[in-house]
Amino acid sequence: MGKKVLIVGGVAGGASAAARLRRVDETAEIILFEKGEYISFANCGLPYYIGETIEERSALLVQTPEDMKKRFNIDVRVQNEVLSINREKKSIEVINLASGQKYEESYDVLVLSPGSTPLKPPIPGINNPNIFTLWNIPDTDAIKGFVDNLKPKRAAVIGGGFIGLEMAENLWDRGIQVSVIEMLDQVMAPIDFEMAQQVHAHLRQKGVDLRLSDGVKEFDYNNGVTTVTLASGAKVDAEIVLLSIGVRPQTQLAKDAGLELNERGGIVVDSTLKTSDPNIYAIGDAVEVMDFVQGIKAMVPLAGPANKQGRIAANNIAGASEEYKGTQGTSIAKVFDLTVANTGVNEKSLKRAGKAYGVDYWTSIIHSKSHAGYYPGALPMAFKLIFDNKGKVLGAQIVGHDGVDKRIDVIATAIRFGGTIEDLKELELAYAPPYSSAKDPVNMAGFTAENILKGDLNVIQWHEIEGLDSEKSVIVDVRDPVERELGYVGGSINIPVDDLRARHGELDKSKTIVVYCAVGLRGYIAARILKQLGFEDVRNLSGGFSTFQNVYCQDPANLEKCGGTIISGTEGVMIDDMEISDSGEVVSKAVKETGNVIKLNACGLQCPGPILQVFKKMEELEPGDVLEVTATDPGFVNDIATWAKKTGNTLMSSGKGDKKNVFATVMKGTVERKPAQHLAEMPNDKTLVVFSGDLDKALAALIIANGAAAMGRKVTMFYTFWGLNILKKSNPPSVSKDFMSKMFGAMLPKGVDKLGLSKMHMFGMGPAMMKKIMKDKNVDSLDTLLKQALENNVRMIACTMSMDVLGVEKEELIDGIEYSGVATYLGAAEEADVNLFI
């Protein structure tokens, strides 16, 4: 008889260690303890069973106790919880949860694989009956049973990590309206802020209610509905709530045994995975590992590393001397139609470690296609590469629709073997048009990085644009004019790259010239042209307008930064005057009478290719003709909506087509509708311009707004000049201001409690009398009416021009409002049948 080895915990680490140990040592006595009912299950597949992509529950069960016993001769004891470890006696105390019987079991070697558990912070109401976490098979059964039987219509997912977003997608697949609430300013923490923006846009396009930078204050359960109150005061109602806030290691057993733990509660192990006790190993989520790239201690709860650790521990127990060399954090997730992947270190971690961009590390962002552009189905991917001053690859992040997995695996392999950007350039990767390009995206990432490192290309990052001095710099959009109609960097001028040689005289050589195109390639060409024409300081926007747009152009407050165009929040549209033609095609009734239908195949083209093709084809058509476009660029659905609106054409329908295609149907010109036939389409929104800061006028405005909101109307309130005083906080934070702004601040009221009446002010007595009468008559206060309006989804916009004139800063105004200009108000007014000036 060989060694007696006890393993505490199954799933990835423990089950892997048990099976490997039997393969290398037939004589060992192996006992595996698991307090749950299941020792090995596909935990990463649990959301997809709830969403019914995985149809059979049995598919989740990787190994059963009976299978482990039969194949590996391992004594598997489920529903047996290990209570304590006696290191001196080399024994453990166990309780059989089914019978309640306690017993001891001795060991020669002990392996701890306790895993982790979901966080449940002490938020009021967190134990409501419709609030769940997802971590194991019983959790899965409870959630799926709830969805199957009670058929909830609304779900709130708390946390935008891997499990949170996978659950959001799978609940959405079940026809449930989903809100995702994330306390940070982005989802998917392993990727950097600008890369996450593409995920944000995609979630919103799918109809997900995404709420960022807002944590949960409390849960209130009433008659099957939980109201989630956020830190901002906003409320979200849901019949089912999923918690995905994070995990913590289950290490109480190790702590009670006196094993060394780190400050985060993780079990400290050496490179062979031994704990501070040489007879005890530890593996999986609960152990502290070495960050492979940075060489620092870390906690990385991933299934892949846990499996490898189980194998290494088993080999060492059997007499080997094998080391675990660290975790580089390679991960991948499906988020609706996107794939999001990362490996190695991200830029956030480098900055937290005190590393400086351009000194200790560099980054590059490229936008490549999944395979050769001329072969149908080529889809874009955003690819961020991080490397040091010697060219060593430190990390990568990729967000795209196809081919992301194999590229991130190539980079992960390069990092593991100490690869450089030179190696990425030289990699000979498999190429055929359906699978890749002659210059694979990995090669292109290497080429771009080399240009940056050698100084052939000076780049500017998206976050540096705002800091440019307009007196000393010029931003040049080198795209074609038709692309510029889809949005542009505010303050830029347009000189297409093909015109640059002839028009470079329009630029000042003494200034910094920032060039940008859609994705960076034409910007690089433009930069090389200008450098060789004698311009000394030329910089190319890394990732081009695509990256800039993803970061800034989802927020209406950034309208000016984005050339007056904001990314649409809808995946597709269809107007209601459509019918099926004799040939089975969906066409407009108006077009059926007068227009021709022309088809355009724009598949394989990446932005701006499809739009350029539409632009050229539209010039050949007559008013009333319809263009039916098929494309593979997912961004085309948003682009065509913006393009049609700005060019006076009619987008009739758009959305996902067959396979990986998207489609759009556009009529040249506008649809003429007869009022009698389209009464339901008449605008019924309400807009109010609040110019006055008088108490009585503010009350009237908010009473009208709340009344309209109660009738189901969409209400927009545009606060300008003195009206801004209504939105002021009563106790604003200290804000740095110039002299004139301080003077205005001293004269203007500070919050709603300080507003006066327009008539009968009576040296300050009038407002007090008004407030008393309102209280006696049970009329809500101005402060209460303001809160009610926000809760009723009344859109409140602070005029940024007026803020600038009066020296009012965002920090002085209440939460939950927007910041924009007159263009946003006018856009809302066009959809309104009532427009008031107060």
Side-chain angles (χ1 to χ4, degrees), residues 182 184-193 196-197 200 212 348:
E182 170 56 60
L184 300 178
D185 59 1
Q186 67 165 88
V187 300
M188 304 292 284
I191 64 176
D192 287 318
F193 180 78
Q197 302 310 308
H200 297 165
L212 301 171
K348 289 179 294 189

Side-chain angles (χ1 to χ4, degrees), residues 128 153 166 255 332:
N128 290 343
K153 295 180 180 179
E166 288 169 351
K255 181 179 180 180
I332 192 166

Side-chain angles (χ1 to χ4, degrees), residues 722-773:
W722 319 120
L724 291 172
N725 294 317
I726 301 168
L727 302 179
K728 282 189 174 180
K729 296 176 181 175
S730 298
N731 295 296
S734 178
V735 180
S736 177
K737 296 186 177 183
D738 58 29
F739 176 75
M740 289 300 295
S741 297
K742 288 180 180 177
M743 290 293 290
F744 268 117
M747 292 185 289
L748 294 173
K750 295 180 174 60
V752 293
D753 293 335
K754 304 297 183 182
L755 299 182
L757 292 174
S758 61
K759 304 289 185 183
M760 298 187 299
H761 190 63
M762 299 174 62
F763 305 101
M765 295 174 59
M769 294 170 61
M770 174 66 76
K771 292 174 185 176
K772 184 179 186 307
I773 293 171

Side-chain angles (χ1 to χ4, degrees), residues 188-227:
M188 304 292 284
I191 64 176
D192 287 318
F193 180 78
E194 71 273 23
M195 298 298 287
Q197 302 310 308
Q198 188 172 340
V199 184
H200 297 165
H202 189 62
L203 289 169
R204 291 179 175 122
Q205 288 161 14
K206 288 293 183 180
V208 172
D209 173 28
L210 179 61
R211 297 171 183 249
L212 301 171
S213 301
D214 211 352
V216 176
K217 182 180 180 181
E218 64 180 359
F219 299 102
D220 183 27
Y221 181 79
N222 183 33
N223 195 27
V225 177
T226 286
T227 298

Side-chain angles (χ1 to χ4, degrees), residues 48-69:
Y48 299 100
Y49 172 63
I50 294 171
E52 298 186 333
T53 298
I54 297 173
E55 296 180 358
E56 298 297 329
R57 182 178 181 276
S58 58
L60 300 172
L61 305 178
V62 180
Q63 283 281 6
T64 66
E66 295 75 21
D67 291 338
M68 290 285 280
K69 177 65 177 178

